């Protein structure tokens, strides 16, 4: 099945006002709704509403951080959505970032690979309804058992940017979720994950033919994200070390404006989908043709009505 996803809720619009849009998504060609979690809505509540508003859509978290909830609570929230959307829920988990974990949630951000791995190994038996008791390495759980396990446990997918996590996803999870890549980067990611696991990617789409405006917004986002160590290492691995070296140098020196200006046009155009609505849809399809299973479109502000943009980007 060819999948076509959208990231919801849309920014700046109250969640209840998005009901009619969500109800229309299947008729527009969308198969999936993927949530996110930074400092807006949490990852699970919008999916609970979407399960009621559009009961044929697959729902996914991209991602729920493993540090900001205890393992038991994460299992409880996942079980709740799995019960609301049986067979249609994918739990995406990941480490998130030091800003979100330490700065905003007052939790230690240590050994992210181990903590994601251990959370995955806890969730699989917990969501299957087993009593879980033991030391997982980065944490210990004592005699946890869901009161009501979902009849169909959710898929569990890992946020993965580099070979280590991609290989863990290939070995122990149902797939991987990645972020900030170009269509031409997909084969390299796919090679580490393997052909038999699902690959989801959030794709940033700015539907405007004002190239300067799209690139200006793209540069702001790229400098904000790709200076985070995990993303910097990801793009080193993808081969952008030289292209982004000046951005990193100026950012480290505190020159944010200069760092933005130092990002080459071709990097922005690789990582941000922009242009006419038809061109944006075609560009997203290029990711699929390169080996992506599920695009999760993230609509960026372009001055157009966001509801109209979502409708126009549907896979018709």
């Amino acid at each position: 099945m060819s999948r076509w996803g959208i990231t919801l809720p849309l920014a700046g619009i109250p969640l209840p006002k998005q009901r009619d849009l969500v109800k229309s998504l299947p008729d527009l060609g969308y198969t999936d709704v993927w949530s996110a979690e930074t400092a807006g809505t949490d990852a699970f509540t919008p999916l609970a509403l979407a399960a009621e508003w559009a009961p044929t859509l697959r729902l996914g978290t991209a991602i729920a951080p493993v540090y900001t909830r205890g393992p038991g609570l994460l299992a409880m929230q996942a079980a709740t959505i799995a019960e609301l959307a049986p067979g249609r829920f994918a739990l995406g988990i990941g480490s998130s970032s030091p800003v979100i974990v330490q700065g905003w949630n007052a939790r230690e951000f240590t050994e992210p690979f181990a903590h994601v791995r251990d959370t995955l190994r806890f969730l699989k038996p917990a969501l299957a309804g087993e009593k879980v008791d033991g030391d997982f390495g980065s944490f210990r759980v004592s005699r946890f058992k869901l009161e009501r396990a979902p009849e169909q446990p959710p898929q569990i997918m890992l946020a993965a940017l580099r070979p280590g996590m991609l290989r863990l996803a290939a070995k122990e999870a149902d797939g991987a979720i990645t972020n900030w890549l170009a269509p031409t980067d997909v084969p390299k990611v796919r090679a580490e994950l393997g052909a038999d696991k699902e690959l989801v990617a959030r794709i940033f789409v700015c539907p405007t033919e004002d190239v300067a405006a799209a690139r200006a917004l793209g540069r702001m986002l790229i400098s904000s994200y790709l200076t985070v160590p995990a993303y910097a290492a990801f793009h080193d691995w993808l081969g952008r070390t030289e292209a982004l070296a000046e951005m990193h140098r100026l950012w480290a020196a505190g020159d944010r404006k200069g760092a933005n200006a130092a990002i080459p046009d071709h990097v922005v155009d690789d990582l941000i989908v922009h242009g006419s609505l038809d061109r944006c849809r075609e560009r997203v399809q290029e990711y699929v043709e390169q080996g992506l299973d599920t695009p999760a479109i993230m609509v960026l502000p372009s001055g157009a009505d966001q509801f109209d943009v979502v409708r126009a980007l549907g896979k018709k």
Side-chain angles (χ1 to χ4, degrees):
M1 177 182 182
S2 178
R3 311 210 68 88
W4 199 255
I6 188 75
T7 299
L8 292 180
L10 298 172
I13 301 172
L15 187 53
K17 293 185 180 296
Q18 302 187 37
R19 177 179 182 229
D20 289 344
L21 176 68
V22 173
K23 291 176 68 174
S24 72
L25 291 176
D27 291 335
L28 297 169
Y30 291 97
T31 61
D32 290 46
V33 163
W34 291 84
S35 63
E37 188 171 284
T38 50
T41 59
D42 70 278
F44 293 96
T45 304
L47 299 185
L49 292 170
E52 174 67 20
W53 293 343
T56 64
L57 291 171
R58 186 174 70 151
L59 312 173
T61 57
I63 50 87
V66 297
Y67 289 99
T68 54
R69 298 169 179 82
L73 178 57
L74 185 56
M76 290 160 57
Q77 290 192 285
T80 301
I81 304 300
E83 185 175 65
L84 293 173
R88 296 183 293 107
F89 175 49
L91 173 64
I93 60 171
S95 62
S96 189
S97 70
V99 169
I100 291 173
V101 175
Q102 293 181 173
W104 300 351
N105 287 284
R107 299 289 185 267
E108 289 189 12
F109 188 84
T110 56
E111 299 184 47
F113 179 88
H115 201 75
V116 171
R117 178 200 62 207
D118 298 342
T119 302
L120 169 66
R121 291 175 179 175
F122 162 80
L123 287 168
K124 291 171 76 173
L127 290 168
E130 299 175 20
K131 181 180 288 185
V132 184
D133 184 88
D135 189 341
F136 286 84
S138 60
F139 59 84
R140 178 175 180 81
V141 171
S142 178
R143 301 176 60 80
F144 174 83
K145 190 175 190 299
L146 285 168
E147 290 183 3
R148 189 173 65 254
E151 290 186 7
Q152 298 183 59
Q155 294 175 288
I156 304 177
M157 307 184 73
L158 302 185
L161 297 177
R162 285 182 287 162
M165 196 69 81
L166 287 163
R167 292 170 189 164
L168 177 65
K171 183 178 180 182
E172 300 190 33
D174 295 298
I177 302 168
T178 193
N179 202 5
W180 283 108
L181 76 170
T184 52
D185 297 326
V186 174
K188 186 163 188 174
V189 174
R190 171 61 74 187
E192 299 295 338
L193 181 64
D196 61 339
K197 296 288 185 172
E198 183 177 3
L199 180 60
V200 178
R202 176 158 286 119
I203 301 172
F204 297 90
V205 178
C206 185
T208 177
E209 296 184 69
D210 185 338
V211 175
R215 285 176 174 165
L217 176 58
R219 284 188 167 89
M220 288 177 59
L221 292 170
I222 289 168
S223 66
S224 297
Y225 275 86
L226 270 54
T227 51
V228 174
Y231 282 105
F234 180 44
H235 283 271
D236 285 344
W237 177 61
L238 291 174
R240 295 194 176 90
T241 303
E242 183 176 346
L244 294 174
E246 186 67 1
M247 177 197 75
H248 286 297
R249 186 187 71 79
L250 292 168
W251 187 271
D255 184 356
R256 303 298 192 250
K257 184 176 179 180
N260 287 346
I263 302 169
D265 286 346
H266 71 86
V267 172
V268 182
D269 296 343
D270 280 348
L271 302 179
I272 302 289
V273 173
H274 60 90
S276 69
L277 285 163
D278 286 342
R279 174 57 184 149
C280 288
R281 197 183 307 105
E282 292 167 1
R283 181 72 168 165
V284 174
Q285 182 62 32
E286 289 178 22
Y287 285 84
V288 176
E289 292 167 358
Q290 291 282 353
L292 180 67
D293 295 303
T294 306
I297 295 168
M298 176 75 173
V299 174
L300 299 178
S302 64
D305 182 281
Q306 292 188 78
F307 287 1
D308 289 344
V309 168
V310 172
R311 295 185 185 105
L313 289 173
K315 191 171 186 181
K316 301 170 184 177

